[in-house]
Amino acid sequence: MKRDRMYRYGQGLAAACLLLGMALPAAAQTRVVMLGTGTPVPDSHRAGQSVAVVHDDKAYVFDLGDGAIRNAIRASQDMGIEALSPTRIDRVFFTHLHSDHMLDYPALLNTYWWRRDHHVEVYGPPGIEAMSQGVYQMLAPDIAARKAGNQPISDPAGYRANTHAFRDNGVVLAENGVRISAFKVSHGEVKPAFGYRIETPDKTIVLSGDTAYDPHVAAQARDADILIHEAASQAGLSALPAQWQRYHHAAHTPSDAVARIANQARPDKLILVHNLFYGADEKSTLTEVRKDYEGDVVLANDLDVFE
Ligand SMILES: [Zn+2]
Ligand SMILES: [Zn+2]
């Protein structure tokens, strides 16, 4: 929903609540919580990629890079976003299966699994079932030991996920006023790789996932409130050896191309994540995008919340 419409909706809701003496339903407001803004490059301040969209006390989590579950625990315990408590996360969507997007999948299925009373639903490209089987294998000694003892277990299969793999564009989940669609993006040799469009009653959010410049992202984000896009620093990229430059150009979006996408889509807010700065100043990417794009743009940090 665009800002002016959202404002009118908010005003109407506030007036109705005032009239009826009710508190405003704050939980219904959609929030975007950054659980990981990093890349494969080790970074002490940034977990691997993970974005949570929280609507009506329910979290929809996109990717689970290393450290994402630790940040989810911080969000639930220190920031009061209870929907991000690990045993409550049961809607997970993968853009693709590069390690910086899935290393904390075992952490999600493993953490406190004996307290989980239902399975996690997992959506993503082919490969998510094999990845899940690998996690069960990894957990086998823990599962066997806990089941063999006197430990109470909510659901003996609570560590398992139901996987929903897909190869093409389309709606992957619609529930409780939330509609999530996947669309293909261009991530080098990774095929298919997906971005997601998330529509809730008060916001439309588009997540590029990892992608080279791809006009499909702009088309999906044309009426979005928030576009979350990956970005690569041109200053950093131009200093790399030629072979690395070729690799990154085929798989990632340099800052001038991010600005081009943003100028086509005109989102209310552009959020940069997965910032590949290759040893240049981390902020160079943001400065470069701002050169060609005058809209609202920020470089996200872990545990930033956007409403
Ligand atoms: Zn990737
Ligand atoms: Zn990545």
Side-chain angles (χ1 to χ4, degrees):
M1 205 184 291
K2 282 286 185 187
R3 190 175 293 148
D4 54 344
R5 271 193 291 140
M6 204 164 75
Y7 178 74
R8 283 200 300 275
Y9 169 81
Q11 290 286 296
L13 195 64
C17 289
L18 204 68
L19 211 64
L20 298 168
M22 290 157 55
L24 269 170
Q29 175 90 20
T30 303
R31 286 178 286 182
V32 177
V33 185
M34 295 294 162
L35 297 181
T37 56
T39 69
V41 183
D43 186 326
S44 63
H45 299 292
R46 296 182 187 278
Q49 277 301 295
S50 186
V51 173
V53 173
V54 182
H55 172 71
D56 200 13
D57 200 30
K58 181 97 186 156
Y60 300 86
V61 177
F62 298 83
D63 290 332
L64 283 168
D66 60 293
I69 292 301
R70 175 56 37 192
N71 276 340
I73 292 168
R74 288 194 183 105
S76 63
Q77 295 186 357
D78 302 345
M79 296 160 64
I81 307 173
E82 288 169 19
L84 288 171
S85 177
T87 50
R88 285 198 51 199
I89 296 174
D90 58 8
R91 299 284 188 276
V92 176
F93 304 80
F94 286 104
T95 58
H96 64 300
L97 303 182
H98 265 155
S99 56
D100 54 318
H101 298 252
M102 49 59 71
L103 275 175
D104 255 17
Y105 183 47
L108 175 70
L109 296 188
N110 193 353
T111 301
Y112 232 24
W113 71 261
W114 49 94
R115 294 288 186 107
R116 202 182 260 287
D117 56 10
H118 58 290
H119 296 186
V120 181
E121 305 296 327
V122 179
Y123 304 82
I128 53 174
E129 179 57 32
M131 180 171 76
S132 302
Q133 293 295 336
V135 176
Y136 309 150
Q137 248 182 358
M138 175 183 170
L139 289 178
D142 181 83
I143 294 162
R146 292 186 192 281
K147 283 188 183 172
N150 293 321
Q151 177 177 344
I153 290 176
S154 302
D155 173 356
Y159 61 89
R160 294 186 78 88
N162 295 325
T163 56
H164 310 270
F166 50 86
R167 287 183 178 278
D168 292 309
N169 295 2
V171 175
V172 294
L173 180 68
E175 64 176 24
N176 190 30
V178 176
R179 200 168 85 124
I180 298 172
S181 330
F183 59 94
K184 282 190 200 169
V185 293
S186 315
H187 190 33
E189 69 277 13
V190 182
K191 290 179 171 81
F194 291 100
Y196 286 97
R197 179 179 164 99
I198 306 109
E199 295 160 278
T200 75
D202 64 287
K203 269 188 193 60
T204 296
I205 298 146
V206 172
L207 175 67
S208 73
D210 282 12
T211 183
Y213 169 77
D214 190 330
H216 290 116
V217 179
Q220 291 287 335
R222 199 144 281 143
D223 58 351
D225 298 285
I226 294 176
L227 169 59
I228 303 166
H229 206 292
E230 72 129 84
S233 158
Q234 283 174 286
L237 191 56
S238 61
L240 293 180
Q243 196 180 355
W244 277 112
Q245 287 198 34
R246 275 198 299 280
Y247 168 78
H248 282 284
H249 269 291
H252 296 291
T253 314
S255 46
D256 61 335
V258 176
R260 215 176 326 148
I261 293 281
N263 278 315
Q264 290 161 23
R266 289 267 149 202
D268 278 357
K269 184 182 274 293
L270 169 65
I271 301 175
L272 305 178
V273 295
H274 203 282
N275 177 18
L276 288 158
F277 50 96
Y278 317 102
D281 182 340
E282 184 183 65
K283 296 233 163 52
S284 61
T285 315
L286 180 63
T287 312
E288 290 163 3
V289 171
R290 281 188 173 145
K291 254 189 241 161
D292 296 325
Y293 179 62
E294 291 179 349
D296 183 7
V297 51
V298 293
L299 183 61
N301 292 305
D302 284 17
L303 294 175
D304 279 354
V305 178
F306 299 95
E307 301 192 355

